[in-house]
Amino acid sequence: TLLDSMAETMGNTVKWGIASSALNNFTGSVQKAYGYIKNLDTSLNNIRIVTEKSAEEMDKFAVKANNAAKSLGQSTTAYTDAALIYYQQGLAEEEVIARADTTLKAANVTGQAAADVSEQLTAVWNGFQVGAEETELYVDKLAAVAATTAADLEELSTGMSKVASAANAMGVDIDQLNGHLATVVSVTRQAPESVGTALKTIYARM
């Protein structure tokens, strides 16, 4: 009788543990889904405020953003957050979509948050006055050099964000700057921010 009682108690304990775990997982999933939807709604609302788009236009944009994010292996919120940054710069939708797509691709490579990558690439694109049709080309250039040197894409984009505008003003093109940054970072292993700032000073003095 004692053994039967112990067995029943143990069985109930195991059942309770399984049920409790399932309930906790379900509750956690619901909370996570609610938080995601809330964040996405906030992101879309911020875009609507900046662009003054109608509700119908935002619905269409949300569908585009969702499809693009899926194809890039990112969340819709990551896409809309990146797009918001470019909308805040006063760019047209074609330009925004091109930059947001490229930003998420770069974020997949570097493992950074899309918001961080967008800041770095904005400095590069604006520094060299890059149009929508060339946004991906410039990132491809960084990726190609990163693949053949000891400087990775994150380091190159970070360093370039500090010097792109000055380099362009001094007549140093994207390929030259890419080579300079990759060489210095590869050899010295200094922080890319420091290398970019140092090159900015060097170009100005030259």
Side-chain angles (χ1 to χ4, degrees):
T1 301
L2 178 61
L3 289 174
D4 288 343
S5 177
M6 290 175 62
E8 183 178 356
T9 301
M10 291 178 64
N12 289 338
T13 301
V14 171
K15 290 176 183 177
W16 167 253
I18 293 173
S20 177
S21 177
L23 181 61
N24 287 337
N25 287 337
F26 175 74
T27 304
S29 297
V30 170
Q31 290 175 337
K32 187 176 180 181
Y34 173 76
Y36 174 78
I37 292 170
K38 186 177 180 181
N39 291 337
L40 177 59
D41 184 62
T42 299
S43 183
L44 289 170
N45 188 53
N46 288 337
I47 291 175
R48 187 177 181 185
I49 291 171
V50 171
T51 61
E52 297 183 349
K53 288 178 178 289
S54 66
E56 184 180 349
E57 288 175 321
M58 283 309 303
D59 286 342
K60 291 179 180 178
F61 176 79
V63 172
K64 286 182 183 178
N66 186 49
N67 291 335
K70 280 183 179 178
S71 67
L72 296 169
Q74 288 273 4
S75 70
T76 307
T77 305
Y79 188 95
T80 55
D81 284 347
L84 173 62
I85 292 173
Y86 299 126
Y87 273 124
Q88 288 171 331
Q89 296 172 19
L91 300 175
E93 183 162 317
E94 179 189 1
E95 189 87 32
V96 169
I97 291 174
R99 292 192 177 200
D101 286 352
T102 305
T103 295
L104 264 65
K105 289 178 184 178
N108 284 338
V109 174
T110 64
Q112 296 172 275
D116 294 332
V117 175
S118 63
E119 289 181 8
Q120 296 162 0
L121 295 183
T122 290
V124 175
W125 290 325
N126 290 351
F128 286 100
Q129 300 172 349
V130 179
E133 69 283 355
E134 290 187 313
T135 53
E136 193 162 328
L137 172 63
Y138 273 61
V139 178
D140 284 345
K141 288 175 179 286
L142 298 181
V145 172
T148 54
T149 67
D152 60 33
L153 180 57
E154 179 182 351
E155 289 174 324
L156 291 175
S157 59
T158 300
M160 202 167 285
S161 69
K162 301 295 182 183
V163 65
S165 181
N168 188 42
M170 299 297 168
V172 179
D173 65 30
I174 179 69
D175 296 316
Q176 292 171 321
L177 178 57
N178 210 1
H180 295 170
L181 275 169
T183 301
V184 178
V185 170
S186 296
V187 174
T188 67
R189 298 311 302 159
Q190 293 293 314
E193 298 92 335
S194 300
V195 176
T197 302
L199 286 176
K200 181 178 179 180
T201 302
I202 291 170
Y203 295 151
R205 289 180 178 176
M206 288 174 63

